Amino acid sequence: MFSQFRNKFPLTDEKWNEYTSYFNRIEVPVKTVLIQEGEVSKKLFIIEKGCIRVWFNNNGKDLTSQFFFENQSVASIESFIKKFPSPVVVETIEPSVLWWIHKKDVDTILEEIKEIPELRDRLINMLFQRTFDYMKHFFSFIKDSPAQRYLSLIEERPQIIQRVPQHYFASYLGVSTVHLSRIKSKLAHKK
């Protein structure tokens, strides 16, 4: 799993082996809750195989805020960093192979690498990318119609359409599955 990332990090082999030894491999079935809403997140996951969604409960309806696929990291990042109860649920939607690392080990690594500008910048960019993704999704709800959000999803993240059950990506788009069917039907008739 980690060999594909080895040449991207300027670390000695000894440090690389130490840091990767902090990770634990697990295989989990579909619908495995990795982090429960209200729980303080103490693990960060990297996906070797599978798909994970992040969602929250809004008056009895679950609303999906993000999807994660192979080679991406996922946690209830706000809870993980700030140590407060998670506002979201993190759950597998495919059978998944995951690598997890405990927060205390992440803190150890961060403390050691903060003086290495390239590593620090890579970490900051990774965290900001997630923030940019959140912002883009949020703004799309303000400025775009559901049909526009669906077309953007097809163009920018087709793996969601291909791999995620329709009711989950309908919730991600902020529509019911019935409304999504209508959107798909209208778009098919325009072709």
Side-chain angles (χ1 to χ4, degrees):
M1 166 69 189
F2 295 105
S3 61
Q4 63 184 317
F5 302 114
R6 177 62 185 107
N7 63 353
K8 296 180 181 183
F9 295 96
L11 295 168
T12 65
D13 287 342
E14 181 182 332
K15 275 296 174 193
W16 176 260
N17 292 334
E18 177 188 337
Y19 293 162
T20 57
S21 74
Y22 294 147
F23 286 86
N24 302 281
R25 185 180 188 272
I26 56 172
E27 294 184 31
V28 295
V30 67
K31 296 199 73 61
T32 298
V33 173
L34 302 169
I35 301 165
Q36 191 65 257
E37 183 178 352
E39 172 186 353
V40 175
S41 178
K42 294 182 179 144
K43 293 179 181 176
L44 174 80
F45 298 88
I46 296 177
I47 306 167
E48 178 178 328
K49 180 179 179 284
C51 178
I52 292 176
R53 78 178 180 122
V54 175
W55 63 276
F56 62 94
N57 184 318
N58 182 28
N59 298 321
K61 285 177 56 178
D62 68 301
L63 299 175
T64 302
S65 61
Q66 283 191 303
F67 295 103
F68 295 89
F69 298 94
E70 286 80 9
N71 300 320
Q72 292 184 304
S73 60
V74 62
S76 174
I77 204 72
E78 302 84 354
S79 176
F80 188 77
I81 291 172
K82 297 289 187 182
K83 300 178 187 171
F84 62 76
S86 175
V88 297
V89 175
V90 177
E91 177 182 45
T92 62
I93 59 173
E94 292 179 349
S96 300
V97 177
L98 308 170
W99 292 82
W100 66 269
I101 184 170
H102 196 277
K103 178 158 180 27
K104 66 178 174 50
D105 295 324
V106 171
D107 290 342
T108 298
I109 293 170
L110 291 176
E111 185 61 34
E112 290 182 14
I113 69 166
K114 71 180 180 185
E115 300 303 321
I116 305 172
E118 186 177 346
L119 288 176
R120 185 187 61 238
D121 293 348
R122 197 175 288 267
L123 177 68
I124 289 169
N125 286 339
M126 181 187 76
L127 292 174
F128 275 115
Q129 184 59 51
R130 181 152 179 201
T131 302
F132 294 145
D133 290 344
Y134 273 142
M135 288 171 53
K136 185 175 183 179
H137 189 61
F138 173 76
F139 288 132
S140 75
F141 272 81
I142 295 170
K143 66 181 188 84
D144 297 333
S145 70
Q148 290 169 313
R149 289 196 297 274
Y150 177 69
L151 289 171
S152 293
L153 192 62
I154 291 171
E155 184 179 312
E156 297 168 12
R157 300 199 62 204
Q159 74 273 32
I160 291 175
I161 305 295
Q162 296 160 1
R163 293 175 59 179
V164 172
Q166 182 169 299
H167 62 284
Y168 291 145
F169 73 79
S171 115
Y172 178 73
L173 294 171
V175 299
S176 68
T177 53
V178 172
H179 191 175
L180 180 59
S181 293
R182 285 187 200 124
I183 291 169
K184 290 165 78 174
S185 179
K186 282 181 186 177
L187 292 172
H189 282 80
K190 286 184 179 179
K191 287 184 178 180

